[in-house]
Amino acid sequence: MTATQDQNMQLRNDVKKLGNILGEVLKNHGGETLFNKVEDIRELAKDVRDQYDEEKYNQLKKEIETVDPSMRQQVIRAFSIYFHLVNIAEQNHRIRRSQFYRLERDSDVQRHSVQEAILALKSDNHDDETVQKIIDDLSIELIMTAHPTEATKRTVLEIQKRISIILQKLDHPMLPYKKRRNLEETLKNEVTVLWQTDELRHRKPTVLDEVKNGLYYFEQTLFDVLPAVHQELEDQLNDYFVNKQWKVPNFLNFGSWIGGDRDGNPFVTPKVTWETLKLQRDLAVKKYDEGLTELMKRFSQSTTRVDIPEEFIRHVEEQEKQYLVGREKWQIEGEVYRRKFAVMLKRLRQVGSKSKHAYDHAEELLQDLMMIQDASSEHNLEGTKLKKLNKMIRQVQLFGFHLATLDVRNHSGEHEAAITEMLRVVGITEDYASLSEQEKLDLLEKVLKDPRPLMLLNEDYSEETQNIFDVFKMIQSAHDEFGKRSIEVYLVSMTQSASDLLEVLVLAKEAGIYRLHVDGTVESSITVAPLLETVDDLIAGPEIMRTLFSMDVYRRNVAERGDHQEIMLGYSDGSKDGGTLTANWKLFKAQQEIHNMAREFDVGLKFFHGRGGSLGRGGGPLNRSIMSQPAETLGDGVKITEQGEVLSSRYMLGDIAFRNLEQAASALIQATSTVHAGGEMVTGLKPEWEEAIESISEHSLKKYQDLVFGDKDFLTYFKQTTPLNELRELNIGSRPMSRKGSEKFEDLRAIPWVFAWTQCRQMIPAWYASGTGFASYLENGGDKALETLQEMYEKWPFFHSTINNLQMALMKADMMAAKEYVQLVEDKEIGDRIFGDIYDEYNRTKEMILKISGSSELLDFTPNIQGSVHLRNPYVDPLNFMQVDLIQKLRETEEDEHSEEILTDVLLTISGVAAGLLNTG
């Protein structure tokens, strides 16, 4: 038996063990009747999947529809909790596989690891200088958002974490019998607690609830894992490039939107943002307190045993006089480092107060740590490092006192309304909003060049305008209180013109965040970044940025910000408007065009990818996301959102977090190396490939829009065939599901759009219309059309990633389950007609994808995931069937206590399907 087979056996054993424990729990809480009912449904569902038989299929549906209402909730929860347990087992198996590769330095190198990336640099014969340039150019920033796609409660996630830790301990080969027995008893207790825990939220989370949920990941994993990834890169460089002592820059950072994202969320006020910054600082200080206390225990060296530099001893004596009194001082005179740590702890614990003893900024704490590092290096063993101290130095460099840079985002329309009122009040123009774009630009440029303020202090502005201005005043105050790293970027959603960004610069000028002095010099502590969301905005993006870079007043602001411009690309709305294939191609093309244009102005660009967790919103593995971008655009860094269920799946467990971030680092090293090797011409994009994808995109866009916008009944179909309305009751986010509470398609947020399609297994945002695009190209592209597409799949990372993501989407979509939802459409003709089109397009897309990839089955390239989806489908089916039955009952029932019970059961099926598919929105 190979090591891989042995490991897969361990996974199957874990799943079996957890399934058996769940079976015991079912018997204990619902008796043999509940257990047998669940088993009957499970066996039937499995039989139907193994070999479809209409009689058994109808028997399965009948078995589900006739479940007694008193038992129904228990049956739903049995399947849902099974998925939670399978998810835990699979995550534990991922940790197990990663540890297997790390047993020996020279054992098999794990794919997508930092070690693999450094070995590749070595095998490419890069010299130390080139490697240093590659490392210096690395930059990745991951942004945590509160987008409402995490259907699992925090309490449930914590139980899952405890179960995972127990499974890891049970893997230990030298575990004594008694400890193993105790762990297995604890495992049973945790599964029992999971069953006994209410998995539904009974109120919507507040913004500060979401902030605390985000901070949980910093406290539990990220504060330790980020330094570990940097250390791993440093260690691998020192192992394989031995002629140099390597120092890795801080290339991997986390930021946040939670508490700063105002777009469409009226609950994100300046006060809430301020409270967010305080909570972040409090956590950073708490973690440093723990770190210094631990270092104090370890640095017990005494002047009676080692020579500590006299200069350092004098420094400690001076600081004790300045900051400590009486018993606050460390009482053993010879333990100089502990005396220093006592001073540092006193100053740290005053941070956030008005005390003159407090550290004013994190750089002071960093200087103290580096002073200890320098002093202690004189008596360390040669060639050894104090890794605990180095780790804390890295933490302070990464997290400061702000913990995570908070982006602020708002809708362009709100800025325009505020500017319109401000300009009217001072008599500059009566109706700014009605001006042409060129008139707006001329006027805004004039205002920005005038050092005088625009707002009148004693004037009563509307509440909306005052709220907007309060945001900018809060940013200025935050810079004073928390440091300028606390808020660095202001994002403008729905950017459609250059004036959208200049309006923000005017508001920043009024608050003192942007200043133009009389001598022409500029001071700026904010980057204004556009968010290009729709297909039309992506096409217009290059011209919008050219206009801005051509304006002296804007270019000066960019220069003050290090000649760097950030541009955010929205994956959700583009996909919702134009389909996934067209949206992804337009995103790729926009990056190339904007990058090339920016080079004319000597501006470095950082693209910010607003990807969701689901495939319909640009999701997928982090490393694959990086590698699928135009390589030449990665030289100035990359920024990517991490949101919803992605946070718990990637960052709940330290080992999984490390592996995920290591993969991202490895991909970035590989891409940056490519840029250095090939200069600017690194895409390898052949003209015939571009012609092919343009043609595919054009036909795909038409097919998609013919359905979504051209079919007058489509919106009815969508609202009735999916659990869209029921999702509103799931209480998974503070933000409303649609902008302005509107029922219009254009105001529906992309997250519920994707979430709803995922639940009903049609998943059209992730694949629909791709098949038509490919088929049209094969029909019209000549004899070598298929050969061209196959070459693109083999040699073009963007196209390879696109095809593989489509495979995943098609695998998770399921037309057998999807067909059941069609009965929810009141007009049978509408339901049958539109589903018939979706069904045909699904089969067309699957056929095309298999041809292009040369595969026999979907996901042949990743048998582990393929096997996981096959394992899950028979257990998702009953949840889908019950969901359809319950939604039908709910929609036919008047509001009463009975309907409340049915709604609860519907929500439980939604949560269960989300757990089973590992994607929501």
Side-chain angles (χ1 to χ4, degrees), residues 752-778:
W753 162 255
V754 174
F755 202 150
W757 283 118
T758 302
Q759 285 288 312
C760 72
R761 306 298 296 280
Q762 296 179 51
M763 291 180 122
I764 72 165
W767 62 268
Y768 183 80
S770 301
T772 291
F774 294 128
S776 298
Y777 177 72
L778 290 183

Side-chain angles (χ1 to χ4, degrees), residues 299 301 376-377 380 384-391:
F299 274 73
Q301 295 94 332
S376 62
S377 66
N380 287 342
T384 63
K385 297 177 184 176
L386 298 170
K387 288 200 171 181
K388 288 281 183 184
L389 178 60
N390 289 354
K391 176 184 174 182

Side-chain angles (χ1 to χ4, degrees), residues 45-106:
K46 200 165 177 297
D47 288 347
V48 168
R49 281 287 174 178
D50 287 343
Q51 188 169 1
Y52 181 81
D53 176 90
E54 191 164 352
E55 187 178 334
K56 281 192 175 179
Y57 182 77
N58 291 328
Q59 188 183 345
L60 171 63
K61 286 176 63 178
K62 187 176 180 182
E63 190 77 36
I64 286 168
E65 288 165 6
T66 56
V67 172
D68 191 277
S70 64
M71 187 190 290
R72 185 173 58 213
Q73 194 172 114
Q74 307 267 57
V75 172
I76 295 168
R77 295 186 71 241
F79 283 97
S80 298
I81 288 173
Y82 174 77
F83 282 126
H84 288 305
L85 296 175
V86 170
N87 293 344
I88 296 166
E90 289 185 346
Q91 282 205 324
N92 188 57
H93 186 56
R94 194 176 167 203
I95 293 169
R96 186 185 286 134
R97 283 166 52 209
S98 184
Q99 288 174 342
F100 171 77
Y101 283 105
R102 294 177 185 277
L103 286 173
E104 299 288 342
R105 175 183 180 269
D106 296 321

Side-chain angles (χ1 to χ4, degrees), residues 416 432-433 435-444 499:
E416 182 183 70
Y432 164 82
L435 298 179
S436 70
E437 174 64 8
Q438 190 56 53
E439 288 171 329
K440 286 179 179 179
L441 292 175
D442 293 341
L443 179 52
L444 294 170
S499 61

Side-chain angles (χ1 to χ4, degrees), residues 453-472:
L454 187 65
M455 290 192 80
L456 302 177
L457 293 177
N458 298 320
E459 188 63 39
D460 287 333
Y461 291 94
S462 67
E463 184 180 353
E464 291 78 10
T465 295
Q466 193 59 53
N467 283 341
I468 289 290
F469 187 56
D470 286 347
V471 173
F472 287 87

